[in-house]
Amino acid sequence: MTMSKLVFAPLSYTGWGSLDQLIPEVEKTGAKKILVVTDPQLVEIGLSTKVTDPLEDKGFDVTIYHDVVPEPPLEVGEKLVSFTKEGGFELVIGIGGGSALDLAKLTAVMAGQEGSVADYLNLSGTKEIMSKGLPKILIPTTSGTGSEVTNIAVLSLASTKDVVTHDHLLADVAIIDPELTLSVPPKVTAATGIDALTHAIEAYVSKNASPVSDALALQAIRLISGSIRTAVRDGADRQARIDMSYGSYIAGLAFFNAGVAGVHALAYPLGGQFHISHGESNAVLLPYVMGYIRKSCEGRMAAILEAVKGKSTDLSDEEASKQCVEELVGIVRDVGIPQRLSEFGISESSLDNLTRDGVKQKRLLARSPMTLGEEDIRVIYRAAYFGEVVEG
């Protein structure tokens, strides 16, 4: 086993009612003028007031920014950063799904940098982040993205996605309160839940996995696979929401340290070209990517099967890995996410463009236990399009 660098940040509060820690943590920063970045839906249903009302009651100067869209384009990030720089804010709080959290930590950091967001993109940027920027507190309202514990902000480009990544993007404080997820509708619960499950699975089979990330990933798989169907079916089920919340959080810690790979690499072009949500993009691809790379990680997939089943099996690694893929197919089906790319209105002729952009995600593909070249990626997209698992 090679040396592993492990990062566990930020300071985190987890569990039912943990939002009570918000005011004490805000007071520690000494900030008075606060920017709250959130989803417009949370403003509409009043969930954002769980953050803003206590702050205003304490006399803080609070500005709400809710011009947030799913899979946010680069220009949305640029607009928010300009707003933040002009506003003279002292603290950024993000509350919402992954898009709101990504934008919150992006704008907090970019407020302290010169130039535009485009200058700092992973694939095409030329500048390095030098300043930590503003302090930031992140509060997820979904159980899925892991954005509250990672150092990446994802932005959509013309036909794919890119990221701004640096340890300065890590939150100063994360508050993970499952009570905030009670209002999440079934479709979003399903998509974000499979996203979290994908984080854990890809972290476990990653070339960068370690014994520590393995332990986190397997526990996340147990929690999420054991609760996602209930959470989708009955969003008011408290225990299911708690398990999904903890599962998503520790899956985030696992993939932040071990990384994600082929599923995410191929999901990015789906979001960029067809604006399919990140969770659904991962979900529709998960069984096909894992089926294709199965032979490269049979033992690991056998362990994943045991985590999903909650018990050991007497199967050989080969048999167990095959059954693992079948289990993944079943989970995606049971939570109501389409199982073929063709069901998203994608034409077969689009597969070449998807392949072209998928190949570009070298940062992610480098972690796959099986090397995935252009032809491999084309085969996986075709398998997902027709709904037929094939092996590499």
Side-chain angles (χ1 to χ4, degrees):
M1 179 67 67
T2 58
M3 184 195 78
S4 299
K5 176 188 175 183
L6 297 166
V7 179
F8 295 99
L11 167 67
S12 300
Y13 295 98
T14 61
W16 204 272
S18 56
L19 188 61
D20 290 345
Q21 299 302 316
L22 175 63
I23 296 300
E25 288 301 326
V26 170
E27 291 175 339
K28 288 179 186 178
T29 70
K32 297 299 181 184
K33 190 170 186 181
I34 301 171
L35 175 64
V36 175
V37 180
T38 189
D39 299 298
Q41 293 82 4
L42 298 193
V43 175
E44 184 178 337
I45 66 175
L47 188 60
S48 61
T49 61
K50 290 184 175 292
V51 166
T52 57
D53 283 358
L55 290 171
E56 290 172 344
D57 289 345
K58 286 287 185 177
F60 292 100
D61 181 356
V62 179
T63 298
I64 300 175
Y65 188 98
H66 57 78
D67 190 10
V68 172
V69 296
E71 321 301 319
L74 174 61
E75 52 268 27
V76 171
E78 300 278 18
K79 180 181 176 183
L80 173 56
V81 170
S82 295
F83 181 85
T84 305
K85 287 182 176 181
E86 294 166 4
F89 299 104
E90 300 167 299
L91 170 68
V92 177
I93 298 175
I95 174 173
S99 296
L101 300 189
D102 276 11
L103 287 171
K105 59 188 182 182
L106 175 74
T107 203
V109 172
M110 290 304 302
Q113 318 305 319
E114 296 180 351
S116 67
V117 176
D119 294 330
Y120 298 87
L121 291 172
N122 176 66
L123 294 178
S124 58
T126 57
K127 292 187 177 181
E128 292 186 11
I129 290 173
M130 305 299 292
S131 166
K132 189 176 187 296
L134 301 174
K136 48 200 170 298
I137 297 174
L138 300 183
I139 307 168
T141 58
T142 64
S143 297
T145 70
S147 180
E148 70 277 7
V149 294
T150 66
N151 66 354
I152 297 173
V154 183
L155 296 165
S156 295
L157 306 181
S159 62
T160 186
K161 293 184 180 182
D162 201 352
V163 302
V164 176
T165 178
H166 191 282
D167 281 353
H168 286 334
L169 270 78
L170 287 167
D172 296 284
V173 178
I175 298 175
I176 300 94
D177 188 339
E179 187 174 4
L180 297 175
T181 69
L182 288 174
S183 61
V184 178
K187 183 178 179 180
V188 178
T189 299
T192 56
I194 298 292
D195 187 19
L197 182 63
T198 304
H199 291 155
I201 289 172
E202 290 212 283
Y204 188 66
V205 301
S206 168
K207 289 170 69 173
N208 295 341
S210 70
V212 176
S213 65
D214 285 351
L216 291 165
L218 287 175
Q219 180 63 1
I221 292 166
R222 293 184 193 102
L223 288 169
I224 297 167
S225 64
S227 58
I228 187 169
R229 292 177 175 90
T230 301
V232 171
R233 183 177 64 251
D234 178 10
D237 188 296
R238 178 168 169 155
Q239 190 58 52
R241 290 297 193 183
I242 290 172
D243 288 350
M244 288 296 296
S245 181
Y246 276 115
S248 171
Y249 170 65
I250 61 176
L253 294 175
F255 94 81
F256 177 48
N257 282 282
V260 290
V263 179
H264 277 72
L266 274 61
Y268 276 6
L270 286 179
Q273 294 183 30
F274 298 99
H275 307 293
I276 301 170
S277 77
H278 179 62
E280 288 183 317
S281 297
N282 277 329
V284 70
L285 291 171
L286 178 62
Y288 304 103
V289 174
M290 298 308 298
Y292 191 82
I293 70 171
R294 182 188 64 79
K295 292 180 181 178
S296 69
C297 51
E298 286 182 342
R300 296 232 144 203
M301 290 185 67
I304 292 171
L305 177 67
E306 292 191 355
V308 170
K309 289 285 194 181
K311 60 183 179 181
S312 60
T313 69
D314 295 326
L315 302 173
S316 67
D317 284 352
E318 180 182 13
E319 293 170 331
S321 63
K322 289 180 178 179
Q323 189 170 328
C324 178
V325 176
E326 294 173 5
E327 287 290 330
L328 298 180
V329 170
I331 292 173
V332 174
R333 178 194 63 232
D334 291 349
V335 299
I337 295 176
Q339 296 188 274
R340 294 185 297 276
L341 289 180
S342 55
E343 294 180 58
F344 287 96
I346 296 173
S347 66
E348 187 178 351
S349 61
S350 300
L351 301 184
D352 284 341
N353 286 338
L354 289 171
T355 301
R356 177 203 65 206
D357 286 340
V359 172
K360 296 177 183 177
Q361 298 296 330
K362 300 186 186 303
R363 179 180 63 89
L364 304 179
L365 293 171
R367 305 178 189 128
S368 174
M370 174 186 285
T371 300
L372 296 176
E374 182 174 351
E375 188 54 36
D376 300 300
I377 291 171
R378 180 176 286 105
V379 170
I380 293 170
Y381 276 132
R382 286 187 61 82
Y385 183 84
F386 291 106
E388 300 172 355
V389 175
V390 298
E391 298 179 357

